[in-house]
C-alpha cells in the first residue's frame, strides 16, 4: 500500500483542513515526519490508520476519540464548528483507492437551533 494523499479536517489537533501530498515525495519510498513535541506528528499517523482500519495506531482510540475539541467561536456547550473527516487516497497493486471516514458526531443543524447526530 502506498499513500498518495491524506486530507484531515477536525481531527485531533487539526481544526482546519490539512493535506499531506505523499505523491510530491517522489519514488524514493521513504519520508520523515518530524516536528516539535505536540505538533501533531502522531495525529497524522493516527489519521492514516483510522482511514484504513477505523481505529488509531495501537488500537487505543477510535474515531470518536479523534473528534477535535477545538472550537471556532463556539461555547463549550456547542459542538465543534467543523465535522471530523479523514480522506485517504492510496495505491495498492497498481489500483487507486479512496477511503473517506467520519465518526458519529454531534453537528450543528443546517437550519434552526440545536444539534443532530451525524452517523
Amino acid at each position: 500500500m502506498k499513500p498518495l494523499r491524506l486530507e484531515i479536517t477536525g481531527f485531533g489537533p487539526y481544526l482546519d483542513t490539512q493535506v499531506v501530498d505523499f505523491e510530491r515525495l517522489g519514488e524514493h519510498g521513504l519520508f520523515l515526519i518530524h516536528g516539535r513535541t505536540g505538533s501533531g506528528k502522531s495525529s497524522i499517523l493516527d489519521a492514516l490508520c483510522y482511514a484504513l482500519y477505523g481505529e488509531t495506531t495501537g488500537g487505543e482510540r477510535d474515531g470518536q476519540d479523534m473528534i477535535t475539541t477545538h472550537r471556532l467561536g463556539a461555547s463549550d456547550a456547542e459542538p465543534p464548528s467543523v465535522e471530523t473527516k479523514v480522506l485517504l487516497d492510496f495505491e495498492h497493486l497498481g489500483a487507486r483507492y479512496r477511503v473517506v471516514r467520519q465518526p458519529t458526531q454531534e453537528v450543528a443543524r443546517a437550519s434552526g437551533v440545536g444539534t443532530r447526530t451525524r452517523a
Side-chain angles (χ1 to χ4, degrees), residues 28-65:
H28 300 291
L30 293 174
F31 57 89
L32 172 69
I33 298 174
H34 69 93
R36 297 180 62 126
T37 301
S39 63
K41 301 176 298 296
S42 294
S43 294
I44 292 171
L45 300 174
D46 283 338
L48 284 167
C49 287
Y50 177 65
L52 293 170
Y53 307 110
E55 58 187 36
T56 61
T57 55
E60 296 173 5
R61 298 180 303 246
D62 62 16
Q64 297 297 122
D65 297 320

Side-chain angles (χ1 to χ4, degrees), residues 4-78:
L4 302 173
R5 183 176 181 272
L6 176 68
E7 181 179 307
I8 55 179
T9 305
F11 188 87
Y14 299 107
L15 179 60
D16 297 325
T17 299
Q18 302 294 314
V19 176
V20 180
D21 184 0
F22 292 100
E23 289 189 286
R24 291 187 61 202
L25 300 173
E27 295 298 320
H28 300 291
L30 293 174
F31 57 89
L32 172 69
I33 298 174
H34 69 93
R36 297 180 62 126
T37 301
S39 63
K41 301 176 298 296
S42 294
S43 294
I44 292 171
L45 300 174
D46 283 338
L48 284 167
C49 287
Y50 177 65
L52 293 170
Y53 307 110
E55 58 187 36
T56 61
T57 55
E60 296 173 5
R61 298 180 303 246
D62 62 16
Q64 297 297 122
D65 297 320
M66 297 310 294
I67 296 172
T68 188
T69 57
H70 296 284
R71 304 191 175 343
L72 282 177
S75 71
D76 286 341
E78 297 177 60

